[in-house]
Amino acid sequence: MPSITTRHFFHTAGTLLAGLVLVACGKQEPQAPAASAPAPATRVVVVGTDAAYAPFESQNEKGEIVGFDIDVVKAVAQKAGIEVKFLNPPWEGIFNSLGQGDRDLLVSAITITAERQQTMDFSAPYFDAQQLIAVKKDSKIAKFTDLKKLKVGVQNGTTGDEVVTKLQGKENVNIKRFESTPLALKELEGGGVDAVVADNGVVVHYVNNNANSQFKTISDTSFASEQYGLAVKKGNAELLAILNKGLADVKADGTYQQIYTKYFGAAPAAATPAPAVSK
């Protein structure tokens, strides 16, 4: 058998080694960059509001829903890291939409009442309100009880409706119920009713922006203090906690005060406890 010289051995071994290296290199593929984790989706909360209640909620000339309530909810959402989508259902049926799960949240100058608390949960109060009477400037009406035998306009299903119903009786034909407070005030302007009873913020806003209506307003000590709250479906503790935290934050950093001044011209008075009694 022919002997393998040292030179021949190393030459052969080197050739084999080079071949293995080339083969190994030929199998290498560039590594794909590691996939980054998708960003968590922002939670979208569907908000129902009856946008016919300026300055709390209404539609501008572009059809956009605007107002004090809207700005407050947007500020709360920004603090809470959630998105809000506003829908504009009519006032009648708005609570059913919440109970059925078609809406996650309602904001529509909704007064916190014991009756409503049985079927929905409310955030901490965000606005103090009271009923107010609107009449013509030449009216002799001076107090709430003067309305007992007169035609009174109210928005159907609101606190104004409730207090006038208690005064005149549930079946009294003198109670004229309207789809919105502005419609009731238009009826007063036309002489179809003798007075309108509604939330003070809405009445004052209408009177200030409709000088030709020739209205005056009357406050009455018999009207209980009321407070508005954000309404969620009964038992939705998670969303309620998010809203309450957001409300506390916007009040603490001055955002709420800025929004209030924008719509009402002055900083809000110190909140006073109100009985859990209803828009």
Side-chain angles (χ1 to χ4, degrees), residues 49-67:
T49 185
D50 174 25
Y53 214 67
F56 295 95
E57 41 270 325
S58 61
Q59 288 183 288
N60 62 19
E61 61 280 358
K62 297 180 181 179
E64 300 165 330
I65 302 175
V66 296

Side-chain angles (χ1 to χ4, degrees), residues 151-170:
K151 292 181 180 179
V152 182
V154 297
Q155 182 175 346
N156 188 34
T158 64
T159 309
D161 187 355
E162 290 180 11
V163 296
V164 174
T165 297
K166 288 179 182 178
L167 176 70
Q168 294 194 352
K170 187 174 182 179

Side-chain angles (χ1 to χ4, degrees), residues 200-220:
N200 57 342
V202 179
V203 172
V204 170
H205 180 268
Y206 188 93
V207 171
N208 289 343
N209 287 275
N210 294 273
N212 293 334
S213 63
Q214 296 293 301
F215 290 161
K216 65 179 179 181
T217 60
I218 302 167
S219 183
D220 193 290

Side-chain angles (χ1 to χ4, degrees), residues 47-203:
V47 184
T49 185
D50 174 25
Y53 214 67
F56 295 95
E57 41 270 325
S58 61
Q59 288 183 288
N60 62 19
E61 61 280 358
K62 297 180 181 179
E64 300 165 330
I65 302 175
V66 296
F68 173 79
D69 281 353
I70 308 308
D71 284 0
V72 168
V73 170
K74 285 181 177 179
V76 168
Q78 185 175 23
K79 289 289 185 184
I82 59 176
E83 287 186 12
V84 284
K85 176 184 178 182
F86 292 95
L87 299 179
N88 181 23
W91 176 252
E92 289 189 44
I94 197 170
F95 296 126
N96 286 337
S97 70
L98 181 68
Q100 293 168 0
D102 297 328
R103 310 286 182 268
D104 301 307
L105 163 68
L106 300 179
V107 60
S108 200
I110 302 172
T111 305
I112 302 169
T113 72
E115 181 181 359
R116 289 172 178 169
Q117 286 175 321
Q118 294 176 14
T119 57
M120 64 195 78
D121 290 331
F122 284 94
S123 69
Y126 71 90
F127 189 86
D128 292 333
Q130 195 170 43
Q131 294 303 298
L132 196 63
I133 305 167
V135 296
K136 292 283 189 70
K137 280 190 175 180
D138 58 357
S139 173
K140 303 299 182 184
I141 295 169
K143 57 186 183 299
F144 182 54
T145 53
D146 290 343
L147 305 180
K148 189 168 180 65
K149 295 182 179 181
L150 301 179
K151 292 181 180 179
V152 182
V154 297
Q155 182 175 346
N156 188 34
T158 64
T159 309
D161 187 355
E162 290 180 11
V163 296
V164 174
T165 297
K166 288 179 182 178
L167 176 70
Q168 294 194 352
K170 187 174 182 179
E171 305 301 327
N172 198 311
V173 295
N174 280 336
I175 304 174
K176 306 299 181 182
R177 296 179 173 89
F178 296 86
E179 185 179 337
S180 72
T181 296
L183 287 177
L185 290 163
K186 280 291 185 184
E187 187 73 4
L188 174 62
E189 189 173 347
V193 294
D194 300 299
V196 168
V197 178
D199 287 7
N200 57 342
V202 179
V203 172

Side-chain angles (χ1 to χ4, degrees), residues 211-262:
N212 293 334
S213 63
Q214 296 293 301
F215 290 161
K216 65 179 179 181
T217 60
I218 302 167
S219 183
D220 193 290
T221 56
S222 66
F223 293 139
S225 296
E226 302 174 14
Q227 292 181 315
Y228 297 163
L230 309 177
V232 301
K233 187 175 183 179
K234 193 73 176 175
N236 193 347
E238 179 189 2
L239 180 55
L240 197 63
I242 290 172
L243 296 175
N244 280 331
K245 175 66 164 55
L247 275 172
D249 288 345
V250 298
K251 288 183 178 181
D253 70 3
T255 302
Y256 175 86
Q257 288 80 356
Q258 292 174 5
I259 297 171
Y260 191 101
T261 302
K262 171 184 173 182

